[in-house]
Amino acid sequence: MTGNHKNINPNFRRTPAPQYTHAEIVEGVKNRDAKILGHIISKAESTIDKDQDLVYEVLDQIAIEQRSSIIAVSGSPGVGKSTFINSFGNHLVQQGKSIAVLPVDPTSQVSKGSILGDKTRMDDLVKLKGAFIKPMSSSLSLGGVAPATLLASMICEKAGFDYILIETVGVGQSEFEARFMCDCFMLLLQPGGGDDLQGIKRGIMEMADLLVVNKADGGLLDKARNSLQSYKAALKLLLPNSMGWRAKAYLYSSIEHQGQLELFEALSDYFEYLNQHNRWSVLRRDQSIYLFEKYTNDIMHQTLLQNQGLKKDYNDLIDALQEGSISINKALTRFKEKLQDELS
Ligand SMILES: Nc1nc2c(ncn2[C@@H]2O[C@H](COP(=O)(O)OP(=O)(O)O)[C@@H](O)[C@H]2O)c(=O)[nH]1
Ligand SMILES: [Mg+2]
């Protein structure tokens, strides 16, 4: 691309990043000011220590007035998560609810275009007052100790949104992580033939609080109805989750906006259930322990490998494995010994 500078508009000036005082940020978050929320969430994504410190300070300075209902919208890529959030988010806003949407885009580091793609699928939502949307990059905790999505969700809760919708990446380990960042794990499913259940991992279905068979419209309606029956049958075989909740399944069409009322009711029932017997607090506490264990693991790993001697041993053992001069069990034993030496 170098040498192409003559195509660049000589009058172009990058708009300077807005500078807000600490007090302005705190006030802005409390007032759900979209610009300030976007600003502070981008600090949560930053790799600069000073930015991360600011996020933690701001979080510290605002008390939670009312818990947000945090919903993870999960499901394979292409199942319709973004379109669903656009449709159902609209419904929530029409019910007088304020919503924050955090789409986690797996490709956002590669291409800015896909962020816009997600944004355009949320065309209707973008225009609504009461809806705040901030696409998140899926790169986890580059700079900070906690992933940006978790911090963003905490900021939105301090801002007092009724609902926070996190669109997950839709594949792999990230789905499990999302489970521990939300109060309700909503799994979107594609209408399919009889083989629905093979396509989705049982593990992910077991994590779901609500199943939504999406795209129940047009030529897919019959298939969707059949899928709903198979999922309902499959759910009967699952044990209730640790909260004693049994997942339920619903039909939805994001294009025809069908199924909104039933799903809204289901969601309200779910949160009512969570509100009883202190379940919601217990869920949050259990999740914070899980997240603490997970991220302290990462922190310990990173911190230990900052030790030069240990890092060298670690790399030497990888080299030895590559050469085939050591077996995996010996390599692990040796590393454990080195670590114990280092810590004693
Ligand atoms: N027929 C139908 N198509 C849908 C529906 N929701 C999404 N789609 C289509 O499914 C494709 C993927 O949607 P998208 O929201 O980007 O899926 P995501 O990758 O899960 O976020 C797009 O072509 C949508 O138009 C629906 O309710 N009905
Ligand atoms: Mg999407």
Side-chain angles (χ1 to χ4, degrees):
M1 287 303 271
T2 47
N4 236 352
H5 291 308
K6 60 177 179 290
N7 291 334
I8 294 175
N9 177 357
N11 296 320
F12 176 81
R13 293 282 176 275
R14 183 187 281 275
T15 336
Q19 292 297 328
Y20 298 108
T21 64
H22 218 94
E24 278 171 337
I25 296 176
V26 169
E27 270 320 290
V29 170
K30 283 185 184 166
N31 295 327
R32 286 185 229 137
D33 178 308
K35 273 211 182 85
I36 292 198
L37 283 169
H39 173 78
I40 189 71
I41 291 175
S42 65
K43 300 283 176 196
E45 293 183 294
S46 158
T47 55
I48 301 168
D49 282 350
K50 201 172 68 154
D51 290 341
Q52 290 278 322
D53 292 346
L54 178 66
V55 173
Y56 285 87
E57 278 163 30
V58 167
L59 279 172
D60 268 354
Q61 280 168 13
I62 311 173
I64 295 179
E65 300 238 319
Q66 152 213 282
R67 230 180 245 154
S68 302
S69 301
I70 308 175
I71 302 166
V73 178
S74 168
S76 315
V79 71
K81 296 179 293 295
S82 304
T83 321
F84 168 81
I85 291 175
N86 183 55
S87 160
F88 193 63
N90 241 285
H91 184 73
L92 291 174
V93 173
Q94 275 164 25
Q95 304 298 308
K97 309 293 183 192
S98 56
I99 65 167
V101 179
L102 304 170
V104 182
D105 193 306
T107 49
S108 59
Q109 297 136 283
V110 184
S111 136
K112 284 243 154 51
S114 65
I115 286 193
L116 292 174
D118 256 338
K119 271 214 159 168
T120 42
R121 290 217 199 284
M122 295 182 191
D123 261 0
D124 303 323
L125 215 50
V126 180
K127 293 178 215 139
L128 285 185
K129 213 172 171 284
F132 166 75
I133 307 178
K134 174 78 172 86
M136 305 290 298
S137 141
S138 71
S139 55
L140 291 175
S141 58
L142 273 179
V145 291
T149 313
L150 178 65
L151 295 176
S153 167
M154 290 173 77
I155 292 167
C156 291
E157 182 162 54
K158 300 253 165 156
F161 285 99
D162 295 317
Y163 289 86
I164 299 172
L165 303 171
I166 302 174
E167 178 184 343
T168 72
V169 180
V171 280
Q173 201 55 34
S174 59
E175 303 310 284
F176 287 87
E177 209 165 316
R179 162 74 275 188
F180 291 93
M181 292 187 199
C182 70
D183 304 313
C184 175
F185 192 83
M186 199 185 269
L187 178 62
L188 263 56
L189 298 156
Q190 194 89 25
D195 53 27
D196 316 87
L197 293 172
Q198 284 159 23
I200 96 148
K201 299 259 185 322
R202 192 187 157 95
I204 196 165
M205 195 163 137
E206 284 173 347
M207 300 196 302
D209 300 305
L210 295 173
L211 297 189
V212 178
V213 181
N214 193 30
K215 308 193 184 179
D217 49 49
L220 289 170
L221 184 57
D222 283 342
K223 265 190 177 176
R225 286 193 178 125
N226 288 337
S227 297
L228 182 73
Q229 293 318 316
S230 353
Y231 286 124
K232 280 188 170 171
L235 285 176
K236 286 211 178 101
L237 304 176
L238 294 183
L239 292 172
N241 72 10
S242 61
M243 294 281 132
W245 173 259
R246 276 184 178 281
K248 301 195 173 83
Y250 299 87
L251 286 182
Y252 198 91
S253 164
S254 308
I255 291 196
E256 293 182 353
H257 305 296
Q258 290 293 318
Q260 294 178 322
L261 282 175
E262 290 93 322
L263 193 59
F264 183 67
E265 252 174 52
L267 205 57
S268 307
D269 285 351
Y270 175 77
F271 278 101
E272 204 180 300
Y273 181 84
L274 217 53
N275 240 332
Q276 293 160 0
H277 307 296
N278 212 25
R279 288 186 189 106
W280 205 344
S281 307
V282 172
L283 177 72
R284 290 271 176 116
R285 249 175 271 159
D286 287 352
Q287 291 183 333
S288 63
I289 292 169
Y290 171 89
L291 293 172
F292 177 78
E293 287 176 346
K294 174 163 176 25
Y295 297 121
T296 46
N297 261 328
D298 295 351
I299 294 168
M300 285 191 274
H301 179 87
Q302 283 163 15
T303 311
L304 285 172
L305 290 186
Q306 274 163 16
N307 175 315
Q308 291 308 318
L310 203 59
K311 184 159 188 190
K312 184 172 180 311
D313 293 335
Y314 181 87
N315 287 334
D316 286 351
L317 287 168
I318 288 181
D319 288 345
L321 283 165
Q322 199 143 35
E323 286 162 13
S325 58
I326 194 169
S327 64
I328 171 68
N329 59 315
K330 280 225 175 76
L332 287 171
T333 313
R334 201 158 303 165
F335 186 73
K336 193 175 164 190
E337 285 163 6
K338 301 263 186 205
L339 189 57
Q340 281 166 342
D341 285 351
E342 207 58 57
L343 292 178
S344 63

